[in-house]
Amino acid sequence: LSLAALGLPSLSVWGAEGIIYKAAVSANYCHLKFPAIREETLYTKSPVLKDSRDGDIVDFYGPCDHDPLGQEEVRRQKADIIRDQNRRTGDR
């Protein structure tokens, strides 16, 4: 008997594409966890994920086929960095 047959989300630990946790919430909506992109590679053509042991883990809800190194994720993490920098500058 599978979890899906019971109406429960399926849980996985993935090594592919840096995803360390994946739970299907519905047909194409998932809860994913994966390491953040190393900041020094974020603005390059080949971004690289941080080591998951660093503890900087992205907690993502959205499409199950989300790419932790895709353009959408790169844009999101760049925006996070800019927002954090603006917060620090505004605190002075």
Side-chain angles (χ1 to χ4, degrees), residues 20-74:
I20 56 176
Y21 174 84
K22 180 176 183 177
V25 177
S26 65
N28 192 35
Y29 188 79
C30 287
H31 177 204
L32 307 175
K33 291 186 180 187
F34 50 88
I37 297 171
R38 290 175 36 197
E39 192 171 344
E40 66 271 14
T41 69
L42 196 56
Y43 294 88
T44 69
K45 290 182 181 182
S46 301
V48 176
L49 295 175
K50 293 180 178 180
D51 188 309
S52 61
R53 294 173 290 189
D54 291 343
D56 192 359
I57 304 298
V58 175
D59 196 17
F60 174 84
Y61 288 85
C64 295
D65 63 352
H66 183 74
D67 181 359
L69 292 171
Q71 290 181 359
E72 178 184 335
E73 187 60 33
V74 168

Side-chain angles (χ1 to χ4, degrees), residues 72-88:
E72 178 184 335
E73 187 60 33
V74 168
R75 277 193 297 272
R76 192 190 66 72
Q77 290 191 34
K78 284 179 182 178
D80 286 348
I81 289 170
I82 291 168
R83 187 173 33 258
D84 288 345
Q85 289 171 343
N86 288 341
R87 241 185 246 135
R88 283 193 299 267

